[in-house]
Amino acid sequence: MPYRPDIAPTVKELLDIAALIERRYDDDEDRYLHSTLARLFDELRCDASDTVEVLQLIAGRTQVLNAPTGTGKTVLVRVLASWFALRGLRITLVVPDVKATLATAWDISADLAFLHEDEHLDRPASCVPLMSRDAGRNAPSSTPHSYREESTLPGEWGKRGARDIDNLAYGCAQNKLLDGAGTYPPGQENCLTLQRGDTFAACPWIPRCDKFAPVYDACDAAVVVTNHHHFIDGTLKIGVNLDGRPTRGLTVREFALRTSHAVIIDEIDQFQSNVVNKCATTIVLHSRRPWTSAPQKFDTDSKQLPIRVESSLLNSVSHVRLMAEFLLLSICHGALHLTIGDDDATRRRSGGSQNAGWRLAHGRDRELIDLLFPGQAIEGQPIPEDLYGRLDSLLPGRYTAPSLGAAGGKAPVGEDPEWDDVRRALEALTAPRGQDFLDLVKLELHGLLTPSIPDPRRRSRAINLLVVRGYLKELDACLGTLRDHVQQLRHSGLSSAHRILEAVHPRAINSILPLGMLGRAITGYRVTGMDDKEKAAELSAQNISGDPHTYVSELGGLVALLTARVERPVIGLSATAYFPQAIREHVHAPVTWWMTDAQARSIVTQSHTLTYGPGHALMGEPIRIAGTHPKGKPEALIELAPASTSKSPKRSRNYEAPTPPRPEPASSLPPTATNSAPTWQSVCPAAKASTTACASPSPPANRTAMPDISRRRTWRGPSRPRSSRTSPPTATSSSPRSPSSPAD
């Protein structure tokens, strides 16, 4: 779609459309669109004035409309969709979940059908729900049970049940032609991995299959509705023609930004929270539960690969398994600890556990530097770079890695014979050659570090920190090597390979913004299940990468340019998008329109620290719940309850204490009648030359092998059966850039 610097629907135009749409209802109680929207605009404010006359949607910016729940934001989205269709523009709506996707698409489809019947639209326009088929497959079976429907009531699906099930259902034509006895589970069909010899092919029924029908329909729709997760991390699975150019693996984000004039995100604070979740992925490195760790599964699956591929993965997979398994087993029998402290307060917060919480490879560097090089790191000041260099020089060297020298012109520690012996001792742990050297290395380190650290307790803590740091740094390095080697298996179809790829280096956000505020990805390690370590002990790693806050605030600008090479207007609607210091919810984008609460200063917050009381071992220290070991949380909550009531902050001077209510007169009514409260109820066929290698019937003639965004078809209504699809007429679509531009 061509670039438009701004789109400016006026308030009068939107109110007129709302009044027009609600004429399709017979009951007065259903005609609420105009009145709801009018109340919203009466209370809405902007920077320029206390009234809003025009909603100016500016390309290149993420604009936020902040208004309380129940004020008409959903009605505004619905009316805006019709406004775009009436002016021949395309819009993508991003709503929280599958249920909201289906409900929004149903309402807007009926609105567009009425506008066409009433001759306000020159030609039919459609609204298509674009969802992941896995989500659609699970929704019919899980959603009704979650609401505990009664058999005598209409149920959650209600009058739209047939329409919802129709959008979520499909059948596979391959089942009758399969040679094996079994069939593929729903949602896991081999649509793009049909194999004949050494070649792969796409299913010839893709153009007619209801599983991929939303992709074809979305190319022709005036309004596309999708959900948060599908927009963030979804792909179209099959190839799409964009302005005559075949593409493969197109993401939903790129499809929306390339083919829509604007994007509206409902509940943008929840959208950002989902983006934050996508930036963090967890992988199980080793577990006492059989066949639950990703490296173990991948090691088994690699036997299905050619010998040349398996040999290239042997060292990286084996080394990850060796380091992870040895570290977990050493922690289980008490030889090592992820976290350790001498003071009683640290042990009490961790519930007596020496392995609680997440641990970074660099997380205890300051403590370790203070133990090994006392007096050289000033408390409260950044650690000098040369000290980091001296600490890193103790790590075992790698054959292909450059030698680790100290920063600032100082000689590396390895040139000192004393520290060189420490480095050689640690190197024996990462290259054991079939033997367990942990106890011998710890004894040798005790002898080597005695002159530097005379106190045995401090020396034991330094040795534990040094050994654990060596293992975690080695895991960081070999996980990165494994990720690079597994890249060649991205299209192999091995689920374990995809699980490792996504867990070690997720693609959803960091494909656009790979680095966060620290300038690098973060990998943390955690041990769980120590209460039953014989059966449940587990070592997992979590990778955090990408910049979720910049991703959301720059979705219409930088992200759109990097994705589609064109800026788009992006509007976010929420009641809590402006929530400073809320890491997940606060959107770092300008609040362009807002509505105040029903009563000014109805909620007032004041900072107040609650501390442990007299007689407690942590007397005077703040009461913490987050980050406290589960064993210590009940005690912290017990202390928090009386502290929050007896030490509540003083009342604001702007308010007076409420007058106590007058006592009610005695009544002769029964007790249940007084003071009663109401009860609220192709693989892309054009991208591979081998797509005809499948020995199956040729594709039907009534639909092309790839959906074409430049083709528009006749709208068929919200409840049409899938069998009624007809061939689309052709039309010319415009490009956001010149034909020679790479954006096309």
Side-chain angles (χ1 to χ4, degrees), residues 1 123 243 709-712 729-735:
M1 289 298 166
R123 59 180 181 180
D243 296 326
I709 193 57
S710 64
R711 300 163 67 101
R712 288 191 176 273
T730 59
T732 303
S733 67
S734 56
S735 300

Side-chain angles (χ1 to χ4, degrees), residues 156-336:
E156 177 64 24
W157 299 93
K159 61 182 180 182
R160 299 200 304 265
R163 186 273 321 190
D164 285 345
I165 297 300
D166 181 62
N167 278 281
L168 300 175
Y170 66 90
C172 182
Q174 294 186 31
N175 289 340
K176 293 189 176 295
L177 301 177
L178 293 176
D179 296 333
T183 59
Y184 288 95
Q188 303 179 25
E189 297 84 2
N190 61 337
C191 306
L192 306 175
T193 57
L194 294 176
Q195 188 172 2
R196 184 179 183 181
D198 296 333
T199 60
F200 289 91
C203 176
W205 281 287
I206 283 180
R208 286 183 59 87
C209 181
D210 288 335
K211 181 177 181 178
F212 299 98
V215 179
Y216 286 89
D217 294 342
C219 294
D220 307 326
V223 181
V224 176
V225 186
T226 188
N227 58 73
H228 290 174
H229 290 281
H230 199 43
F231 182 89
I232 296 169
D233 203 22
T235 60
L236 299 187
K237 305 298 183 184
I238 59 176
V240 175
N241 282 319
L242 286 175
D243 296 326
R245 178 172 56 87
T247 62
R248 177 188 175 190
L250 193 69
T251 63
V252 176
R253 177 186 64 236
E254 182 176 356
F255 175 78
L257 293 173
R258 280 188 179 273
T259 63
S260 300
H261 292 93
V263 176
I264 297 181
I265 304 176
D266 192 18
E267 303 296 344
I268 192 172
D269 56 331
Q270 182 180 344
F271 177 82
Q272 179 171 274
S273 179
N274 293 329
V275 173
V276 172
N277 291 336
K278 290 294 182 180
C279 290
T281 54
T282 303
I283 180 175
V284 177
L285 296 178
H286 183 53
S287 175
R288 292 287 295 171
R289 299 185 182 93
W291 303 107
T292 56
S293 65
Q296 186 182 33
K297 293 179 181 178
F298 180 69
D299 197 6
T300 303
D301 291 347
S302 63
K303 305 303 181 290
Q304 306 173 21
L305 301 172
I307 295 178
R308 175 184 56 82
V309 178
E310 184 184 2
S311 62
S312 66
L313 301 170
L314 174 64
N315 290 327
S316 57
V317 176
S318 301
H319 198 54
V320 168
R321 291 193 60 181
L322 175 63
M323 293 294 100
E325 294 174 11
F326 189 82
L327 178 60
L328 178 63
L329 296 178
S330 299
I331 291 174
C332 286
H333 60 69
L336 295 174

Side-chain angles (χ1 to χ4, degrees), residues 461-532:
R461 189 163 80 251
I463 292 172
N464 180 82
L465 293 174
L466 200 58
V467 172
V468 171
R469 184 180 189 270
Y471 275 119
L472 297 185
K473 291 284 288 186
E474 193 69 17
L475 275 173
D476 281 351
C478 59
L479 282 174
T481 303
L482 177 61
R483 177 200 64 211
D484 296 338
H485 288 172
V486 176
Q487 289 285 350
Q488 59 182 311
L489 304 178
R490 185 174 292 278
H491 303 291
S492 65
L494 291 180
S495 60
S496 56
H498 284 272
R499 190 178 299 110
I500 289 178
L501 279 173
E502 295 300 326
V504 177
H505 201 66
R507 295 180 301 163
I509 311 303
N510 63 18
S511 61
I512 297 294
L513 301 169
L515 302 179
M517 298 302 294
L518 296 178
R520 58 181 174 85
I522 302 173
T523 302
Y525 302 90
R526 180 174 66 174
V527 172
T528 57
M530 295 300 290
D531 293 337
D532 187 12

Side-chain angles (χ1 to χ4, degrees), residues 282 338-339 355-360 523-527 540-542:
T282 303
L338 278 187
T339 58
N355 303 289
W358 291 95
R359 170 75 184 272
L360 303 180
T523 302
Y525 302 90
R526 180 174 66 174
V527 172
S540 57
Q542 185 176 82

Side-chain angles (χ1 to χ4, degrees), residues 587-605:
V587 179
H588 297 266
V591 180
T592 310
W593 308 279
W594 65 87
M595 177 190 295
T596 59
D597 292 333
Q599 180 181 354
R601 295 182 59 83
S602 58
I603 300 177
V604 179
T605 61

